[in-house]
Amino acid sequence: DAGVIQSPRHEVTEMGQEVTLRCKPISGHNSLFWYRQTMMRGLELLIYFNNNVPIDDSGMPEDRFSAKMPNASFSTLKIQPSEPRDSAVYFCASSLIDRGGGTDTQYFGPGTRLTVL
Amino acid sequence: GQQLNQSPQSMFIQEGEDVSMNCTSSSIFNTWLWYKQDPGEGPVLLIALYKAGELTSNGRLTAQFGITRKDSFLNISASIPSDVGIYFCAGPIIQGAQKLVFGQGTRLTINP
């Protein structure tokens, strides 16, 4: 079975350019999460969606970041304009909401390593 | 906000040795999760704990949910080279929540 798919795996861009990261969640999952990982701050949740609707975007660093989920099988995280401090590994994760009120297992993609020069 | 503190931050051991690491919080957690991240990959869930005092095993891995609900421990017995990676503890911000907070990780290096 295919896991979470992210593209590109690596992205190198120049400051000021627009960057779009893509994610395909596991088929049948109804929650999708975007995380950012850096040495200084560790793994941080940026935003998550339930049934394609953004639920909590309080982790999005600033207005330069935006995320969309137009359908159940695709999401994008866009940075415009990009800055060197955005350099990090960005992970997408998906899960199936636990109707019993428990904590769902989140399955992570392989990540996109972004370098902004 | 809630923070999870992991120790040690890094470990250098010989193959075959047992490993112990822990995770503490100033707040109570009702669920503890342990993830492993291989180099160049995303984290993978190893063990989930749901009750105080619970002891759960997954192969050579054993994790415990502390009685105070403010800590958790992960042990690896008879380490092998593929155990190399970063181990993260995590937990939901509030019970049943989807939003997780992660510890800063314990990096495990194994000398063959």
Side-chain angles (χ1 to χ4, degrees):
Chain A
D1 289 339
V4 175
I5 299 172
Q6 291 188 246
S7 64
R9 291 295 308 273
H10 301 274
E11 177 82 28
V12 180
T13 190
E14 292 188 344
M15 182 174 63
Q17 295 298 307
E18 177 180 296
V19 174
T20 299
L21 310 181
R22 297 172 176 79
C23 175
K24 177 178 169 55
I26 293 172
S27 178
H29 281 189
N30 50 14
S31 293
L32 184 140
F33 307 78
W34 282 102
Y35 288 87
R36 178 173 67 177
Q37 185 176 41
T38 61
M39 289 293 292
M40 291 296 295
R41 300 176 65 89
L43 200 57
E44 303 174 283
L45 178 66
L46 301 177
I47 185 172
Y48 77 93
F49 298 80
N50 281 350
N51 297 310
N52 314 336
V53 176
I55 302 301
D56 186 337
D57 65 354
S58 59
M60 296 285 263
E62 47 196 275
D63 292 345
R64 297 184 297 106
F65 285 69
S66 62
K68 294 182 179 180
M69 191 165 186
N71 57 63
S73 59
F74 184 66
S75 177
T76 59
L77 178 67
K78 186 175 295 186
I79 308 172
Q80 165 64 15
S82 57
E83 296 182 3
R85 60 194 169 115
D86 300 331
S87 297
V89 181
Y90 291 81
F91 288 103
C92 176
S94 72
S95 71
L96 185 62
I97 296 175
D98 183 336
R99 298 298 178 189
T103 297
D104 333 313
T105 298
Q106 296 183 19
Y107 296 85
F108 285 76
T112 295
R113 181 174 295 275
L114 173 65
T115 303
V116 183
L117 303 174
Chain B
Q2 290 179 315
Q3 283 189 315
L4 296 178
N5 299 306
Q6 289 188 245
S7 66
Q9 291 189 0
S10 60
M11 303 181 73
F12 298 86
I13 64 169
Q14 296 294 123
E15 184 178 350
E17 287 185 15
D18 296 343
V19 173
S20 291
M21 61 188 77
N22 66 29
C23 184
T24 61
S25 171
S26 58
S27 305
I28 287 174
F29 276 76
N30 291 298
T31 298
W32 286 94
L33 307 171
W34 284 95
Y35 282 83
K36 183 196 177 196
Q37 184 176 20
D38 289 331
E41 300 295 331
V44 174
L45 182 66
L46 298 173
I47 293 178
L49 303 161
Y50 300 105
K51 291 173 61 175
E54 179 181 355
L55 188 71
T56 297
S57 294
N58 178 5
R60 294 176 296 105
L61 277 61
T62 302
Q64 184 161 24
F65 193 140
I67 293 292
T68 66
R69 294 193 286 165
K70 292 185 178 181
D71 57 9
S72 179
F73 306 87
L74 178 69
N75 296 316
I76 306 173
S77 62
S79 59
I80 59 177
S82 61
D83 292 332
V84 164
I86 305 176
Y87 292 80
F88 293 97
C89 61
I93 299 278
I94 57 175
Q95 185 176 2
Q98 295 176 280
K99 191 171 181 177
L100 299 178
V101 59
F102 283 78
Q104 73 272 40
T106 293
R107 182 181 295 272
L108 178 62
T109 302
I110 298 176
N111 298 316

